[in-house]
Amino acid sequence: GNGSQFKQGKRIDELYFNNSDLRLLLNLLAINLGVGTAISAISSFDKDLYDAIGIMIYTERRNITKNTIQIKIKKPSVAFLSSLKHCKDVRVKIILEILPNNENPAVIVDVLEYENDEIKISFDELKEDEEYTVSAVLLVNGKEISSRKQIITEEKEGTHDCPEDGDDDKKNV
């Protein structure tokens, strides 16, 4: 809610404005490597902020007889996305992929243009007895700032979201 958005904003102020060394580091990262890298770096200092910029994957429905699965992705927090909307030339995309892909191409969603809080995507031509992995990567100006993977088996539905292996180490800082 609004309380958590206020808390996130206050925490960013504490991290950024009250720490001149961190502010210098983040400014240098943003100038040299882009705003996505700076966002990724600052989120590593605070779990709530990291969660706010993250995405979640849910298995909406797996239809074994039709060999399809519908995936639901929850976008990052409204406060995070609305602040990015005000920045000039900032692109925010989510790339969704299922492996093995069975002729399903990766799906790219322009997050700032997508109105709903949740994104629903269907994958077809799935094999009945095969385990699939759905991955979602959040990019800001082409830099990965968050990623998730979910393993989908035929008998389980619901949320089976787990951070990408090495998620804490993957940031390019």
Side-chain angles (χ1 to χ4, degrees):
N2 286 344
S4 67
Q5 290 177 12
F6 176 76
K7 185 178 164 188
Q8 289 167 10
K10 191 169 168 50
R11 182 66 179 139
I12 290 171
D13 284 352
E14 289 172 7
L15 288 170
Y16 184 78
F17 292 111
N18 297 340
N19 187 331
S20 59
D21 293 337
L22 182 59
R23 184 172 58 241
L24 176 63
L25 171 67
L26 293 171
N27 288 344
L28 288 170
L29 285 172
I31 290 167
N32 292 309
L33 300 174
V35 70
T37 303
I39 291 169
S40 182
I42 197 171
S43 73
S44 67
F45 290 97
D46 187 87
K47 184 188 179 328
D48 291 336
L49 184 59
Y50 179 79
D51 292 342
I53 69 166
I55 44 185
M56 295 293 293
I57 304 173
Y58 301 92
T59 305
E60 179 81 350
R61 181 174 46 253
R62 180 164 184 179
N63 187 328
I64 293 174
T65 55
K66 291 185 180 177
N67 298 327
T68 64
I69 189 163
Q70 187 171 40
I71 301 297
K72 186 168 53 173
I73 305 293
K74 185 174 182 323
K75 294 179 359 184
S77 78
V78 174
F80 172 67
L81 293 176
S82 66
S83 65
L84 289 178
K85 269 187 177 179
H86 292 89
C87 298
K88 187 180 179 195
D89 298 327
V90 171
R91 297 172 321 280
V92 182
K93 309 253 188 239
I94 293 177
I95 300 175
L96 299 164
E97 184 177 37
I98 191 165
L99 294 172
N101 68 9
N102 293 41
E103 306 301 317
N104 285 286
V107 177
I108 301 173
V109 178
D110 187 333
V111 179
L112 297 180
E113 299 297 319
Y114 201 89
E115 295 298 319
N116 299 332
D117 286 342
E118 296 176 334
I119 300 164
K120 290 184 181 181
I121 302 293
S122 291
F123 294 106
D124 304 318
E125 307 294 326
L126 304 181
K127 294 181 180 150
E128 183 177 331
D129 55 351
E130 192 156 2
E131 181 177 277
Y132 291 91
T133 301
V134 174
S135 66
V137 178
L138 179 67
L139 303 172
V140 174
N141 287 355
K143 300 281 187 193
E144 179 181 321
I145 64 166
S146 177
S147 63
R148 296 283 188 267
K149 282 188 178 180
Q150 177 186 356
I151 296 171
I152 300 163
T153 57
E154 61 182 288
E155 70 276 353
K156 293 181 183 173
E157 286 198 6
T159 305
H160 303 285
D161 183 64
C162 57
E164 174 88 17
D165 293 335
D167 205 24
D168 294 333
D169 300 328
K170 65 128 189 74
K171 294 182 174 72
N172 301 323
V173 292

